[in-house]
Amino acid sequence: MPIIKSTYSGPPAYLFNGHLETIIPSLFRKVKDVHYTREKIDTPDSDFLNLDWAKVGSSKLLIISHGLEGDSERHYARGMVKLFNSKKIDVLVWNNRSCGGEINLGPILYHHGASYDLDATITHVLKNHSYKEIFLTGISMGGAQTLKYLGEKGSDLPFEIKRAAVYSTPCNLLSSANTLKLRRNAFYKNKFLGKLKLKIKAKAAQYPDLIDLELLDKVEDFDAFDTLFTAKLHGFKDAIDFYITVSADNWMPFIQIPTLVLNATNDPLLGPECYPISLAEKLDLLTLEMPKRGGHTGFVLSGQEFTWAEHRVQEFLLNPA
């Protein structure tokens, strides 16, 4: 598919750089009148996932995968839920392990390559519901999980899944991880590390023989955190092995349904390799859109409730050309 020219006109004037476009919506955007019904399901490894449903009685379903240290209550999830519900589409937001307000049971947490839990969610939906059409979307980390899942399934993807769209997505995890080493991105690094350290402390309370909290106190960057904790808990050699092994672009060439990747070029958390230009030029089913503005999960429209990215995802999934 062609690399298409974006229609995003840009944010309000007060959001004059990628950092403001990222931070201000994250801190202050509120989406009201979204109501979930929670369902807890078992995973194949005897853990659980919390699924948050917003149903309107449709034969069509959107499944949303959230970002790092996010959950179904994040503004970008609630915005997508409200928009698609207004279009008479059921929505399901699945919460990664330890997200959504409840620590999980097993020794592992979640990560950018945890497509197995998206698979468990979709398997549950197909077994227990009769949706005729299913659409997938993912934001940031959730986008990476979605792309990886689609590529892993390839031609074996359930026929009910028709289209997918992701945005602000680290298609290349190593490239994205490197952005958190930049001085200008210290705010994001500290925010994410602070939350993840709390998760590790909670996991250490469950598995004191598995986790050394003295090491946690010495962690000051993601290379150390992912080597000492993410890699150790999930079976990787170190941080670099983890980043390279789970990176979504390993699987993107095998995607078999129309898929949109929407990444702003001023996204402070995406490195150069997160813009899969060469793949988009080669793959008929991959559409790449790279607006100049938007930040990371921003894409604010002046005076409007929904973001441009939410409208764009809805257009791609529900109104194919």
Side-chain angles (χ1 to χ4, degrees), residues 85-100:
N85 276 177
S86 76
K87 303 299 181 181
K88 308 303 181 184
I89 307 295
D90 285 0
V91 183
L92 166 61
V93 190
W94 70 280
N95 295 279
N96 277 268
R97 301 184 193 209
S98 79
C99 300

Side-chain angles (χ1 to χ4, degrees), residues 9 20 50 92 97 123 143 147 160-161 188 219 232 246 266 272:
S9 59
L20 291 176
N50 281 320
L92 166 61
R97 301 184 193 209
T123 298
L147 294 173
E160 293 91 347
I161 300 176
Y188 311 110
V219 167
K232 180 179 179 181
V246 307
N266 74 335

Side-chain angles (χ1 to χ4, degrees), residues 114-172:
S115 52
Y116 43 81
D117 281 340
L118 175 56
D119 186 28
T121 298
I122 292 171
T123 298
H124 172 80
V125 169
L126 294 174
K127 181 179 179 181
N128 294 279
H129 300 270
S130 55
Y131 288 104
K132 295 180 179 179
E133 295 182 69
I134 296 175
F135 308 100
L136 304 183
T137 192
I139 300 91
S140 191
M141 178 193 74
Q145 292 172 329
T146 300
L147 294 173
K148 184 170 178 282
Y149 167 82
L150 292 171
E152 287 172 330
K153 291 296 183 181
S155 59
D156 292 327
L157 187 74
F159 72 89
E160 293 91 347
I161 300 176
K162 303 302 183 183
R163 298 173 74 87
V166 304
Y167 71 91
S168 299
T169 294
C171 298
N172 183 285

Side-chain angles (χ1 to χ4, degrees), residues 26 31 36 39 54 59 72 77 94 117 131 158 170 173 201 284 291 302:
S26 178
V31 180
Y36 293 120
E39 178 184 17
S59 64
S72 61
W94 70 280
D117 281 340
Y131 288 104
L173 186 54
K201 289 178 180 179
D284 292 339
S302 183

